[in-house]
Amino acid sequence: MAGRAGTGVGDLADDRAPLGRTSTAERVADILRTRVAEGRFAPGTRLSEEAIGGALGVSRNTLREAFRLLTHERLLVHELNRGVFVRVLDDDDVADIHRTRRLVECAVVRGLGRPPFALDGLAAAVAAGEDAARADDWDGVATADIHFHRALVALAGSARTDELMRGVLAELRLVFHLVDDPRALHEPFLARNREILDALRAGERGTAERLLARYLDDSRARVADARARTAGTPPGTRG
């Protein structure tokens, strides 16, 4: 997982084309948010205005506004006289992220209409995660998991819910950087993603919600224990 993380700027110019001549701070923020969600910017990384602005071909003012938007979303932090950094989350952040996920994701499944549901995005994310696991690419598994939950929330058909969860799930990806054994964290949830998908395919909305609720509770506990082990403190005493 750490192999892909770092400054995250190296191939950022590849994202320049979609900006076009009508680039805005919101579009720049979306590109950078996606980079965070894909694990390309590690927590604590300093974001260089010169490098990122040059790669995307945007003005300093536009980039600073994008940084301001992402700071408001708690993905970045501005340190006086030092610059802008990717935020390092603490245990309270981790607990709040999981509370928000449980509230929103379970409500989305509960509120689904009559089947069949539009599950192509979920199915693609499940397949991508399984492929990454076979390749021993646990960074790829983490990215697929983020895509799975974004696709799940998208079933609500709500632009506002999508926008909210884009930021929450990008924060979640920052959490993944804070554990030292990504396989132990992610592997158990591969099969559980497929179980949720299968329940929704069968039109069993209630079953899918119960599976998801247990999934999110277990995810919170596993992340807390993994962070505790990484920090050298007894599991169960943090977050």
Side-chain angles (χ1 to χ4, degrees), residues 39-156:
R40 307 295 288 274
F41 291 125
T45 301
R46 182 181 180 277
L47 300 185
S48 165
E49 287 186 6
E50 182 178 351
I52 294 175
L56 292 177
V58 297
S59 70
R60 177 170 294 182
N61 286 340
T62 296
L63 185 58
R64 286 180 174 175
E65 175 62 12
F67 284 169
R68 188 192 65 80
L69 293 171
L70 295 178
T71 299
H72 181 70
E73 294 179 19
R74 298 174 298 277
L75 294 177
L76 305 181
V77 61
H78 179 265
E79 297 185 11
L80 189 63
N81 298 324
R82 295 194 63 219
V84 175
F85 295 80
V86 179
R87 193 157 174 255
V88 178
L89 276 64
D90 61 24
D91 293 327
D92 289 339
D93 294 319
V94 174
D96 195 37
I97 287 167
H98 281 85
R99 280 193 296 267
T100 303
R101 293 181 66 200
R102 202 181 195 284
L103 284 168
V104 175
E105 294 187 42
C106 290
V108 166
V109 174
R110 189 182 317 123
L112 291 176
R114 298 179 61 183
F117 309 119
L119 302 176
D120 288 351
L122 283 176
V126 168
E130 292 171 346
D131 288 345
R134 283 191 288 270
D136 201 30
D137 175 12
W138 298 101
D139 187 53
V141 172
T143 297
D145 188 62
I146 295 294
H147 290 169
F148 177 86
H149 290 280
R150 284 189 63 172
L152 183 70
V153 171
L155 294 176

Side-chain angles (χ1 to χ4, degrees), residues 122-189:
L122 283 176
V126 168
E130 292 171 346
D131 288 345
R134 283 191 288 270
D136 201 30
D137 175 12
W138 298 101
D139 187 53
V141 172
T143 297
D145 188 62
I146 295 294
H147 290 169
F148 177 86
H149 290 280
R150 284 189 63 172
L152 183 70
V153 171
L155 294 176
S158 165
R160 290 174 177 82
T161 305
D162 289 345
E163 182 178 359
L164 166 67
M165 291 305 292
R166 274 198 300 271
V168 170
L169 292 171
E171 284 190 273
L172 178 66
R173 186 53 187 263
L174 293 179
V175 175
F176 292 166
H177 284 284
L178 304 179
V179 301
D180 60 357
D181 188 349
R183 178 171 185 166
L185 177 64
H186 298 300
E187 189 169 34
F189 294 101

Side-chain angles (χ1 to χ4, degrees), residues 7-26:
T7 65
V9 176
D11 61 348
L12 193 59
D14 294 344
D15 288 322
R16 180 174 179 171
L19 289 173
R21 292 180 176 272
T22 58
S23 63
T24 64
E26 289 80 8

Side-chain angles (χ1 to χ4, degrees), residues 203-221:
E204 298 174 358
R205 188 181 56 191
T207 298
E209 184 185 353
R210 287 191 294 274
L211 290 170
L212 178 62
R214 288 197 295 269
Y215 176 119
L216 293 173
D217 288 343
D218 289 348
S219 173
R220 175 176 174 174

